[in-house]
Amino acid sequence: LLLLSLLYDSKEGELMSTHSSNDTMQQFRKKSMVSSWIAKFRLYLRHIFFLAQKEFISTLKDPRMRAMILLTAILQGLMYGYAATYELNDVSYAVVDNSHSASSRSLLAKIDSTGTFTRYATLGNSSQLADGISADNIIVGIVIPNDFESKLSRGDNAPIQVIADGRNTTIASLAIGYVNTIVATWNAEQAGIYGVVSIDQRVWYNPNSKSNWNFLPSLIALISFVQVIMLSGMSIAKEREQGTFDQLLVTPLSQTQILIGKALAPIVIGLLQSTFLFLIARYWFEVPFQGNFGLLFLAVTIFAISSTGIGLSISSIAKNMQQVLVYLLILLMPLVLLSGLATPVDNMPTILQYVTYVNPMRFAVDAVRRIYLEGAGFFDIYMDFIPMIAVAAVTMPLSGWLFKHKAQ
């Protein structure tokens, strides 16, 4: 028994020491695995860090990229802050005061004192308002009838007519809303003395205030502009990137012929797209067309030529298609923003209004809207053609000079 107990104790001790050593080995292995995983993860992060460091250095090493990164954020931030606003700070209006009474003068003085409304003219009859609205000189016209004073004196409802330019439904709605607010304030001040002034609102060129009536005609210029400038911008850069630029230069064609050939395809494609968009707006969405299709086609053609000149100039200075995409990304947003497509140019700061004169899209959008919705004739919009022709006259020769310079 004593021997058996001694043997049992020795075996139990061996088993306990074996279990203890196994536990120690497992703990060691776990610690080793954790340490290995941590080391691998640190190495993984170091690789990412060194690669990101290399990308930062290669990006910021180029002075043009540094300037592009900084100026893009600053310029687009300022443009969006000042230009992309739906606040109407300066509403030009004309008034037809058929009442010539103390009440009408008091109401008009209230409108003038707000600082938002600027009286453009005091007209003799309501038919003269059409010229001011068509020429974009006024946004709103106010007509006060002959019996305005007498109705107020009797305590009756005295309506006044407010006519807004419906070619931009957002601006028209805001302007009418401002007038409603001012009239409501005047009514509150005159409570108990006169009757109530009400507003009979009318929206010209878009009587139902449908937003797509304003936007769809503008797309005829916008979509073709984006397509034309993209195609023309890619044309020469694509030849360089594919290695066929030198082959193109040794052909019997002159450099001028090559440039004209490069320009024709984007222009024709842009005109086809504009035609498709016109058909969609006219027959699918049933936006009534009031103008002449030949004049609309002429406006879009001149615009396509000026857009092609800009695109070819960009393509001539770019080394590859990636640079073209970067340049276009920087250029397209400000051009669209400063076109008056969403917010009126007159509501922008003065310095940005001067900048819009070199933007052909501003004048294309205005011409297309007026032809489509208003039925404007050539002599109504010929001033829109002059800046677009000027841009084409500068950018097309410039792209030719840059093309020859790069070719040499």
Side-chain angles (χ1 to χ4, degrees):
L1 290 173
L2 180 61
L3 282 172
L4 289 173
S5 65
L6 290 172
L7 287 171
Y8 177 79
D9 290 340
S10 63
K11 291 293 183 182
E12 186 178 6
E14 289 176 2
L15 289 172
M16 289 180 64
S17 62
T18 303
H19 285 304
S20 177
S21 62
N22 288 338
D23 292 341
T24 304
M25 288 296 295
Q26 288 180 358
Q27 291 177 0
F28 178 74
R29 287 174 182 173
K30 287 181 180 179
K31 289 181 179 179
S32 298
M33 290 178 63
V34 171
S35 300
S36 176
W37 288 342
I38 292 174
K40 289 180 179 179
F41 185 67
R42 285 178 178 174
L43 183 62
Y44 180 78
L45 292 179
R46 282 172 63 85
H47 288 167
I48 294 176
F49 172 77
F50 288 130
L51 182 60
Q53 186 181 38
K54 174 255 181 190
E55 291 299 322
F56 275 113
I57 292 172
S58 62
T59 301
L60 300 177
K61 186 178 179 180
D62 188 353
R64 290 178 299 179
M65 288 299 295
R66 291 199 302 266
M68 191 179 300
I69 292 169
L70 182 63
L71 292 177
T72 300
I74 294 174
L75 292 177
Q76 292 195 3
L78 291 174
M79 284 184 182
Y80 274 101
Y82 284 110
T85 174
Y86 289 100
E87 294 180 1
L88 287 177
N89 300 318
D90 186 11
V91 180
S92 58
Y93 80 102
V95 62
V96 179
D97 186 4
N98 294 320
S99 177
H100 301 290
S101 60
S103 300
S104 64
R105 288 191 294 269
S106 173
L107 178 60
L108 293 175
K110 183 69 176 177
I111 295 174
D112 293 332
S113 65
T114 59
T116 302
F117 285 81
T118 303
R119 190 183 303 191
Y120 177 78
T122 301
L123 305 176
N125 56 74
S126 56
S127 61
Q128 295 175 321
L129 290 174
D131 296 332
I133 293 178
S134 299
D136 287 331
N137 293 325
I138 60 173
I139 299 175
V140 172
I142 298 175
V143 180
I144 301 177
N146 295 323
D147 55 355
F148 179 74
E149 175 79 13
S150 60
K151 287 185 176 180
L152 287 177
S153 300
R154 295 195 302 267
D156 295 338
N157 181 32
I160 62 172
Q161 190 176 56
V162 177
I163 302 171
D165 183 359
R167 289 172 295 185
N168 191 323
T169 53
T170 302
I171 302 304
S173 300
L174 285 173
I176 293 174
Y178 284 5
V179 176
N180 273 309
T181 302
I182 296 169
V183 169
T185 303
W186 190 85
N187 284 331
E189 293 174 353
Q190 306 297 324
I193 303 174
Y194 293 113
V196 176
V197 177
S198 62
I199 292 179
D200 176 20
Q201 66 183 49
R202 291 182 59 191
V203 181
W204 283 2
Y205 310 125
N206 191 353
N208 297 320
S209 297
K210 293 184 177 180
S211 58
N212 60 354
W213 281 32
N214 163 57
F215 196 68
L216 285 171
S218 303
L219 284 181
I220 296 174
L222 173 63
I223 301 299
S224 65
F225 171 74
V226 174
Q227 189 66 54
V228 167
I229 202 169
M230 287 285 288
L231 290 174
S232 58
M234 292 289 187
S235 59
I236 299 175
K238 183 174 65 176
E239 298 282 356
R240 287 199 183 97
E241 191 167 292
Q242 293 178 347
T244 57
F245 183 70
D246 293 333
Q247 297 176 10
L248 192 64
L249 294 177
V250 298
T251 59
L253 299 175
S254 67
Q255 293 176 353
T256 303
Q257 289 175 316
I258 293 173
L259 199 64
I260 294 174
K262 290 285 186 182
L264 281 176
I267 292 172
V268 173
I269 292 173
L271 293 176
L272 288 174
Q273 281 196 330
S274 297
T275 304
F276 292 149
L277 290 166
F278 170 80
L279 294 174
I280 290 171
R282 176 64 186 90
Y283 296 105
W284 183 263
F285 291 98
E286 298 182 346
V287 181
F289 180 61
Q290 305 295 339
N292 180 274
F293 183 77
L295 184 60
L296 180 67
F297 193 79
L298 175 64
V300 175
T301 302
I302 296 173
F303 177 52
I305 294 172
S306 62
S307 303
T308 302
I310 296 173
L312 288 175
S313 299
I314 294 173
S315 187
S316 297
I317 63 175
K319 295 180 180 179
N320 49 53
M321 289 192 289
Q322 289 181 344
Q323 285 190 0
V324 173
L325 290 174
V326 173
Y327 293 148
L328 291 179
L329 180 64
I330 295 172
L331 187 65
L332 281 175
M333 293 297 283
L335 289 179
V336 173
L337 190 62
L338 296 176
S339 66
L341 181 66
T343 58
V345 174
D346 294 336
N347 201 37
M348 300 177 187
T350 305
I351 187 170
L352 289 182
Q353 292 183 31
Y354 287 121
V355 172
T356 60
Y357 282 99
V358 297
N359 181 10
M361 191 174 176
R362 169 194 170 178
F363 303 98
V365 168
D366 181 69
V368 170
R369 277 178 175 172
R370 295 186 63 185
I371 294 170
Y372 197 108
L373 297 174
E374 181 186 331
F378 177 80
F379 291 103
D380 297 320
I381 60 166
Y382 75 95
M383 292 298 293
D384 286 329
F385 292 157
I386 296 174
M388 291 191 288
I389 293 172
V391 170
V394 172
T395 56
M396 292 299 284
L398 176 62
S399 62
W401 181 85
L402 290 171
F403 181 79
K404 293 177 182 178
H405 179 72
K406 289 286 185 179
Q408 294 173 357

